[in-house]
Amino acid sequence: MTQLSGWKVLAPGRDGGDLVLAVDFATTGRSDSAFSDLAPRLDPALAVWETRQPAGAGPLPAEEYLALWDGGAAADGRRVRAVLGYCAGSVFAGELAARVAARQDEAPQLVLFEPEVPAPAGLYRDFAAMMNQFASVLTADEVSAAQREAESARTDDVDFGAYGDVLVRIFMERAGAAFTREELDTELLDEFVAVFRSYVSYLGAARGLDPSATWRTGTAVSSRTPSEGAALAGRTVDIDVDHADMLRDARVAEAVGRIIGSYAAT
């Protein structure tokens, strides 16, 4: 078995089965559904892998992510049936699908769930949601103050990476004070900061790619509040479901099954 440093196995599949690659920044504790919810609903013959993030303390270029993920899939040797992307992961998914298509006889299906190009507004949204998760440690006023400070720093011309640094500083200051007050383990705080830094790097790297051409080859699956990026896809499938529940919804799984086709053993 290939050492999957860049991948987490969500479903092992069966001997002779194809591979499905899923691109997302999945973390424990997030409220949105994840590919780990979708994988059990797909054909059990299919192996489903989800991306892990490359190691690195600072911002990484998109090529480091793609080389890690594509290298692992190529080394495995199985035919890639489909490449899936969630939100900003759809940017990477488009490029990953193109690389896979260049080395196998049939291009994989590209399926994009609420595709979006990362922007400071989205980063603020994710930061605000993260602060809400700390409501058991921070007071309501502390959460609100952190969100207001983050919002005021989001100007029209703000640099994405610099804005990410500002959000990390705000989080460390607000959460750090609360952790000290509650006498909590600061190692846990450091872990949260490291994850958020990695997330900012992931989004920043995605911003270095232009998905307009690759998205035209794919199908966007949209919730009742579709993303702007869905309009750039070659095809769209609309499902009346909340965005946060997309990947755990049976109708979405059925739609994905139709898009990627039924499995046939080789």
Side-chain angles (χ1 to χ4, degrees), residues 77-262:
R78 277 176 285 187
R79 184 168 76 106
V80 177
R81 171 65 66 88
V83 180
L84 317 179
Y86 183 72
C87 294
S90 296
V91 180
F92 289 113
E95 176 60 28
L96 184 59
R99 296 187 181 202
V100 171
R103 66 167 184 269
Q104 66 181 35
D105 58 359
E106 182 179 356
Q109 293 291 328
L110 175 62
V111 186
L112 313 168
F113 299 88
E114 310 278 57
E116 65 177 16
V117 175
L123 184 56
Y124 168 76
R125 177 196 64 209
D126 296 334
F127 172 83
M130 181 179 70
M131 294 305 303
N132 286 332
Q133 291 179 355
F134 279 81
S136 61
V137 177
L138 300 168
T139 67
D141 287 342
E142 287 171 332
V143 170
S144 296
Q147 293 170 339
R148 288 195 302 271
E149 186 178 356
E151 175 68 19
S152 65
R154 182 168 59 88
T155 60
D156 291 338
D157 59 348
V158 68
D159 176 79
F160 187 87
Y163 185 54
D165 290 339
V166 169
L167 297 186
V168 169
R169 175 188 59 76
I170 295 172
F171 175 77
M172 291 182 66
E173 290 177 354
R174 301 288 182 176
F179 269 59
T180 299
R181 180 181 68 235
E182 301 296 330
E183 298 182 344
L184 298 175
D185 186 354
T186 57
E187 288 187 5
L188 180 61
L189 176 63
D190 293 341
E191 290 177 9
F192 277 107
V193 170
V195 169
F196 190 70
R197 286 189 188 278
S198 180
Y199 182 59
V200 172
S201 175
Y202 169 83
L203 297 180
R207 283 171 58 86
L209 299 170
D210 180 1
S212 55
T214 58
W215 282 1
R216 285 195 295 270
T217 70
T219 300
V221 180
S222 297
S223 69
R224 62 173 64 102
T225 53
S227 64
E228 292 183 5
L232 300 178
R235 296 165 298 281
T236 57
V237 174
D238 298 321
I239 298 177
D240 186 22
V241 62
D242 286 340
H243 167 78
D245 295 326
M246 285 192 71
L247 298 179
R248 64 173 67 101
D249 189 276
R251 294 166 297 172
V252 172
E254 291 171 5
V256 173
R258 290 193 297 269
I259 294 167
I260 70 178
S262 60

Side-chain angles (χ1 to χ4, degrees), residues 4-22:
L4 301 177
S5 61
W7 295 100
K8 176 182 179 180
V9 177
L10 300 182
R14 296 175 183 159
D15 289 345
D18 289 344
L19 184 59
V20 174
L21 305 177

